[in-house]
Amino acid sequence: MAWLLVVVAGLLETGFAVCLKLSHGFTRLWPTVAFAAFALGSFGLLTLSLKKLDVGPAYAVWTGIGAAGTAIYGMVFLGDLVSTLKIISISLVIIGVIGLQLSGSAQ
């Protein structure tokens, strides 16, 4: 259950990163409100998961999901540059996240 919290927290991290961009420096109300909600949810779930998990792997998985998710969202919906190197790099992050989850504890 703790790993599920980390995964959801990582997805929420993607949400807060995207909303941070859409807020244009906190000058747009609704993206700023969404940023705050996603950030609070993400950090809250990560905090709960750390009661059961080691901080290193949990934090790495959280940031990996957030980074990969944000990069993918940006390419698909925000017009970010798509390149072969970027796709390969995102794939390596995802593989690393999976490896950390599989190599960690069974908690």
Side-chain angles (χ1 to χ4, degrees):
M1 183 55 124
W3 279 115
L4 178 62
L5 294 177
V6 173
V7 170
V8 174
L11 295 172
L12 291 174
E13 183 188 2
T14 296
F16 83 66
V18 170
C19 288
L20 186 61
K21 172 156 179 75
L22 297 176
S23 76
H24 291 269
F26 299 127
T27 61
R28 293 185 175 166
L29 177 63
W30 293 115
T32 300
V33 170
F35 160 79
F38 281 125
L40 185 61
S42 182
F43 286 112
L45 292 177
L46 180 63
T47 299
L48 291 174
S49 72
L50 291 177
K51 291 180 178 182
K52 301 256 180 175
L53 300 174
D54 292 338
V55 69
Y59 183 76
V61 168
W62 177 70
T63 58
I65 291 170
T70 303
I72 292 167
Y73 188 95
M75 288 186 293
V76 173
F77 297 107
L78 300 177
D80 290 357
L81 177 67
V82 178
S83 69
T84 302
L85 182 57
K86 191 179 277 190
I87 299 290
I88 290 169
S89 299
I90 292 168
S91 299
L92 290 171
V93 168
I94 293 169
I95 290 167
V97 165
I98 293 168
L100 280 169
Q101 281 188 291
L102 294 176
S103 70
S105 62
Q107 298 174 1

